[in-house]
Amino acid sequence: MRPAIITLTTDFGLGGPYVAAVKGVLLERAPGVQLVDVCHTISPQNILEGGFVLANIVDVFPEGTVHLAVVDPGVGTERRLLACSVARQWFVLPDNGLITGVTRHHPPDEIRELTSPSIRREFVSATFHGRDILAPAAAHLALGRPAEELGPLRSKFITLRNFEPTADEEGFVGEVIFKDTFGNLITNIHVDRLGDAPGDSWKVEIAGERIAGIVRTYGDCPAGTLVALSGGSGWIEVAVVNGDAGRLLTAGPGTTVRLRREG
Amino acid sequence: MRPAIITLTTDFGLGGPYVAAVKGVLLERAPGVQLVDVCHTISPQNILEGGFVLANIVDVFPEGTVHLAVVDPGVGTERRLLACSVARQWFVLPDNGLITGVTRHHPPDEIRELTSPSIRREFVSATFHGRDILAPAAAHLALGRPAEELGPLRSKFITLRNFEPTADEEGFVGEVIFKDTFGNLITNIHVDRLGDAPGDSWKVEIAGERIAGIVRTYGDCPAGTLVALSGGSGWIEVAVVNGDAGRLLTAGPGTTVRLRREG
Amino acid sequence: MRPAIITLTTDFGLGGPYVAAVKGVLLERAPGVQLVDVCHTISPQNILEGGFVLANIVDVFPEGTVHLAVVDPGVGTERRLLACSVARQWFVLPDNGLITGVTRHHPPDEIRELTSPSIRREFVSATFHGRDILAPAAAHLALGRPAEELGPLRSKFITLRNFEPTADEEGFVGEVIFKDTFGNLITNIHVDRLGDAPGDSWKVEIAGERIAGIVRTYGDCPAGTLVALSGGSGWIEVAVVNGDAGRLLTAGPGTTVRLRREG
């Protein structure tokens, strides 16, 4: 039988005891659960980046996986905490837009607000709800216990507008959403927005540069070439073959990117 | 049945093969044990920081957990290696003060010095005792084997004096012990030292700034406010609401912090 | 029974969804497999560093372990992907020299080229073969399925020449292959190349400095001393006792190191 899986995505950073404290609560409550670190270096309180990471894992994890995500600038205020069932997986997170990318293709089947006083740690701190409320809820779901025990059904959830580019008659205006370790600039423009137009009918503008066409892979061009391509998860990205596009263009998250269809 | 858990806390950093070499030894000797990375970015040879991390996980992990911790500036010298039973968990580490925070509330029930030549790797290197001595001992305990086989009972262990603040008639003089990824400055002054005096009866002094009162949470004040609060594990910390206190105050580990009770 | 183990070594960095996407595929296809992060901070596309990491874990992991390694500057070009059986473990990786260090003591028993169209994800991207081809192959092997289903037998594989030093009549000329978090400079000169000559018969030259003799451990010399020693896995390394050799010598990967036998 497949053991239950809980993944963790946070902006806690890699130093300190915070991630481990969450893991301890999960293992205490759900013995034998398989823990998977997704990413703990989300830029502090960057919900858009956290949402991008989650959007890229929903299609690879098995059914039943519970994803615990904590990027939570509103901790200690009145923001809601949710468990959302999407694509037969659970996402346990604050209701601040973190779920946006996950719901691009899969609307939630069920949303619960985490209000149950019994599915929390006995002492709930004012600043560490990841450990004290979200982790017990994730453990509860990983154990296969009823979602209805977590709290009432909800139908609404917050989504981020800048997770999608703006469409106009010429194409799209979006932004860089993530710079990876190679300096590739991943945008919020997904290839599924581009329709049937061939790659070479697009022009990409970023940081004063124009790139003609969207190529298939890095290997199609000589080293040092600035290229636009559709990356491994379908997001349009700007890269330098065997180089660092972020450094070359002095660009990163937030940089505007335009796609225009050529005549 | 709950699988055995071994956690790892080191200053090995995230690059290189060192952490994985320890994990390989653990998995070779304790098949199926559940490994949990706590933190590998302890500042090199910073025992105080390592001790802070351990202090914050002892209350969340289940009974029987084995915590392997390696911050070991004395490797290759005559320092002792210990297994300490605290709060029904085992801590396997050098006897250099790393255990200090763990024993704040829980005195050790049993201390063994790791002298047994049979519970080591066949070839013990001069510089990698984490892999060659501590890991085999941790695997031994995770398998539920008798602690007495590790070596003789000991009653003493080294503790760090600066893990606790100094008390005087006005309050406490302590220091920043950890700066987290958000720039929050966590001090070595625990709320359990403050007695029943209400939060607003305290004044906090750090880096030339005075903060009136200890608040409940970040959300109580407008963005940009410099606040002192009791953090998620009870340590007094200095933070900027939605900001970075470390950067604002040019402060970090070692910075002096004073708490004074007002009139 | 021992659960199957898959380790992961990549240059993906710690940010973003890439490592987790690989893990999701592994867990989907090999339920219950034990995942071990070795290192994800290999310098981008640095095959030599990746090879060094793998060389240091082959002797500690149990038989049957599957090591998935992705440092793959040639993704999207015609480079081959391989599964190599070495020392009763599997290494699943691009054929670009990553395997070099692993085969220092253990020649491969079996090499398969990963050509089978059925042991891949349904949609294979042009830029993420770690997720789409290597991960399914690693899961296949972790499940104990026949290696022959992966693709045809091969006898050749690429090795890196600069993984070994050059020998001359005076000794060896090598290079720094890894700088660890303490600033220790690990070279590509393994103690097994030095024969029976005692440590104090060697002179080490690096960055204009001369070090007399190879010592046993850091603890043999006073703090601040520049020393050469045989590290925990047998590579000659240059260190400053309780200090940072990389900073002191302004040296790092690629710096030339000479060992000369005296008189």
Side-chain angles (χ1 to χ4, degrees):
Chain A
M1 215 192 88
R2 185 185 284 282
I5 299 168
I6 300 178
T7 82
L8 295 99
T9 305
T10 77
D11 63 353
F12 294 173
L14 298 160
Y18 306 118
V19 171
V22 171
K23 291 179 181 174
V25 171
L26 294 172
L27 292 170
E28 167 72 37
R29 292 175 173 243
V33 70
Q34 197 160 13
L35 299 181
V36 178
D37 288 305
V38 171
C39 177
H40 299 294
T41 60
I42 305 292
S43 310
Q45 310 190 338
N46 190 327
I47 298 166
L48 190 63
E49 184 184 339
F52 168 75
V53 168
L54 295 178
N56 284 288
I57 62 172
V58 62
D59 287 328
V60 291
F61 275 87
E63 290 187 9
T65 299
V66 178
H67 302 281
L68 172 55
V70 195
V71 181
D72 191 15
V75 66
T77 65
E78 290 303 311
R79 62 88 186 86
R80 306 186 306 169
L81 298 172
L82 302 178
C84 303
S85 169
V86 183
R88 297 176 179 274
Q89 300 168 57
W90 283 102
F91 291 81
V92 180
L93 33 60
D95 182 26
N96 59 16
L98 256 187
I99 194 76
T100 307
V102 170
T103 60
R104 279 190 91 240
H105 293 119
H106 318 275
D109 298 308
E110 182 177 342
I111 303 173
R112 295 279 170 182
E113 185 176 352
L114 307 180
T115 57
S116 167
S118 67
I119 306 176
R120 299 180 165 203
R121 293 185 80 213
E122 199 176 356
F123 171 74
V124 173
S125 70
T127 55
F128 200 175
H129 290 178
R131 178 192 63 190
D132 299 337
I133 305 177
L134 294 172
H140 180 89
L141 292 167
L143 289 166
R145 295 197 180 137
E148 67 197 55
E149 292 176 13
L150 295 171
L153 271 177
R154 298 295 181 212
S155 56
K156 289 186 184 161
F157 56 96
I158 292 173
T159 54
L160 300 176
R161 225 190 301 179
N162 56 346
F163 206 90
E164 296 289 339
T166 309
D168 60 22
E169 65 277 14
E170 293 184 290
F172 298 94
V173 182
E175 62 181 273
V176 173
I177 200 168
F178 182 66
K179 183 174 73 167
D180 72 21
T181 193
F182 305 100
N184 301 323
L185 301 165
I186 292 90
T187 75
N188 62 350
I189 309 175
H190 198 277
V191 69
D192 63 17
R193 297 292 299 268
L194 303 192
D196 295 330
D200 60 8
S201 70
W202 292 94
K203 192 174 59 187
V204 179
E205 296 174 11
I206 178 172
E209 298 286 332
R210 289 180 175 214
I211 305 166
I214 296 171
V215 297
R216 199 186 60 91
T217 179
Y218 310 116
D220 289 353
C221 301
T225 316
L226 183 67
V227 297
L229 69 159
S230 161
S233 294
W235 308 98
I236 302 300
E237 59 185 82
V238 173
V240 171
V241 179
N242 294 332
D244 186 313
R247 199 179 300 157
L248 181 72
L249 303 176
T250 324
T255 301
T256 299
V257 180
R258 284 170 212 275
L259 259 70
R260 302 204 180 283
R261 192 155 21 197
E262 298 270 83
Chain B
M1 214 191 90
R2 185 186 285 282
I5 299 169
I6 300 177
T7 81
L8 294 101
T9 305
T10 76
D11 63 354
F12 293 173
L14 298 160
Y18 306 117
V19 172
V22 172
K23 291 180 181 176
V25 172
L26 294 171
L27 293 170
E28 168 70 37
R29 292 175 173 245
V33 70
Q34 197 160 13
L35 300 180
V36 178
D37 289 305
V38 170
C39 178
H40 299 295
T41 60
I42 304 293
S43 311
Q45 311 190 336
N46 190 326
I47 298 165
L48 190 63
E49 184 185 338
F52 168 75
V53 167
L54 295 178
N56 284 288
I57 62 172
V58 62
D59 287 329
V60 292
F61 275 86
E63 289 186 10
T65 299
V66 178
H67 302 281
L68 172 55
V70 195
V71 181
D72 191 14
V75 67
T77 65
E78 290 305 308
R79 62 90 185 84
R80 307 187 306 169
L81 298 172
L82 303 178
C84 303
S85 169
V86 184
R88 297 175 180 274
Q89 300 167 59
W90 282 101
F91 291 81
V92 180
L93 33 59
D95 181 26
N96 58 17
L98 256 187
I99 195 75
T100 308
V102 170
T103 60
R104 282 190 89 239
H105 293 120
H106 318 275
D109 299 308
E110 181 177 342
I111 302 174
R112 296 279 169 181
E113 186 176 351
L114 307 181
T115 58
S116 167
S118 66
I119 306 176
R120 299 182 165 201
R121 293 186 79 213
E122 199 176 355
F123 171 74
V124 173
S125 70
T127 55
F128 200 175
H129 291 179
R131 178 192 62 189
D132 299 336
I133 305 177
L134 294 172
H140 180 90
L141 292 167
L143 288 166
R145 296 197 179 137
E148 67 198 55
E149 294 176 12
L150 294 171
L153 271 177
R154 299 293 182 213
S155 57
K156 289 185 183 163
F157 57 96
I158 293 173
T159 55
L160 300 177
R161 224 190 302 178
N162 56 347
F163 206 90
E164 296 289 337
T166 309
D168 61 21
E169 65 278 12
E170 293 184 288
F172 298 93
V173 182
E175 62 181 271
V176 173
I177 199 169
F178 182 66
K179 183 174 73 166
D180 72 20
T181 193
F182 306 101
N184 301 323
L185 302 165
I186 292 89
T187 75
N188 61 350
I189 309 174
H190 199 276
V191 69
D192 63 18
R193 299 291 300 271
L194 303 191
D196 295 330
D200 60 8
S201 71
W202 293 94
K203 192 174 59 187
V204 179
E205 297 174 11
I206 177 172
E209 297 285 332
R210 290 178 174 216
I211 306 166
I214 295 171
V215 297
R216 200 187 58 90
T217 178
Y218 310 116
D220 288 354
C221 301
T225 315
L226 184 68
V227 297
L229 69 159
S230 162
S233 294
W235 308 98
I236 302 300
E237 60 184 83
V238 173
V240 170
V241 179
N242 295 333
D244 185 314
R247 198 179 301 158
L248 181 73
L249 302 176
T250 323
T255 301
T256 299
V257 180
R258 285 169 210 275
L259 258 72
R260 304 204 178 283
R261 193 154 23 199
E262 299 269 84
Chain C
M1 214 191 87
R2 184 185 286 282
I5 299 168
I6 300 178
T7 81
L8 294 100
T9 305
T10 76
D11 63 354
F12 294 172
L14 298 160
Y18 306 118
V19 172
V22 172
K23 292 180 180 174
V25 171
L26 294 171
L27 293 169
E28 167 70 38
R29 291 174 174 245
V33 71
Q34 198 160 11
L35 299 180
V36 178
D37 289 305
V38 170
C39 177
H40 299 294
T41 60
I42 305 293
S43 310
Q45 311 191 334
N46 190 326
I47 298 165
L48 190 64
E49 184 184 341
F52 168 76
V53 168
L54 294 178
N56 285 288
I57 62 171
V58 62
D59 286 329
V60 291
F61 274 86
E63 289 186 9
T65 298
V66 179
H67 301 281
L68 173 55
V70 195
V71 180
D72 191 13
V75 65
T77 65
E78 289 305 309
R79 62 89 185 82
R80 306 187 306 169
L81 298 173
L82 301 178
C84 303
S85 170
V86 183
R88 297 176 180 273
Q89 301 168 57
W90 282 101
F91 291 81
V92 180
L93 34 60
D95 181 27
N96 58 16
L98 256 186
I99 195 76
T100 307
V102 170
T103 60
R104 280 190 91 240
H105 293 120
H106 318 276
D109 299 308
E110 181 177 343
I111 303 173
R112 296 279 169 182
E113 185 177 351
L114 307 180
T115 57
S116 166
S118 67
I119 307 176
R120 300 181 165 201
R121 293 186 80 214
E122 199 177 355
F123 171 74
V124 173
S125 70
T127 55
F128 200 175
H129 290 179
R131 178 192 63 190
D132 299 336
I133 305 178
L134 295 171
H140 180 89
L141 292 167
L143 289 166
R145 296 199 178 136
E148 66 197 55
E149 293 177 12
L150 294 171
L153 271 177
R154 298 292 181 215
S155 56
K156 292 187 182 161
F157 56 96
I158 293 172
T159 54
L160 300 176
R161 224 189 304 177
N162 58 346
F163 206 91
E164 297 289 339
T166 308
D168 60 22
E169 65 277 15
E170 293 184 289
F172 299 94
V173 182
E175 62 181 273
V176 174
I177 199 169
F178 182 66
K179 183 174 74 166
D180 73 19
T181 193
F182 306 101
N184 301 323
L185 301 165
I186 293 90
T187 74
N188 62 349
I189 309 175
H190 198 277
V191 71
D192 63 18
R193 297 291 299 270
L194 303 191
D196 295 331
D200 60 8
S201 70
W202 292 94
K203 192 174 60 187
V204 179
E205 298 174 9
I206 177 173
E209 297 286 332
R210 289 179 175 216
I211 306 166
I214 295 171
V215 297
R216 202 187 56 92
T217 178
Y218 311 115
D220 289 353
C221 302
T225 316
L226 184 68
V227 297
L229 69 159
S230 161
S233 295
W235 310 97
I236 302 301
E237 59 184 82
V238 173
V240 171
V241 180
N242 294 334
D244 186 314
R247 200 179 300 158
L248 181 73
L249 302 176
T250 324
T255 301
T256 298
V257 180
R258 285 170 210 274
L259 259 72
R260 304 204 178 282
R261 194 158 19 201
E262 298 270 85

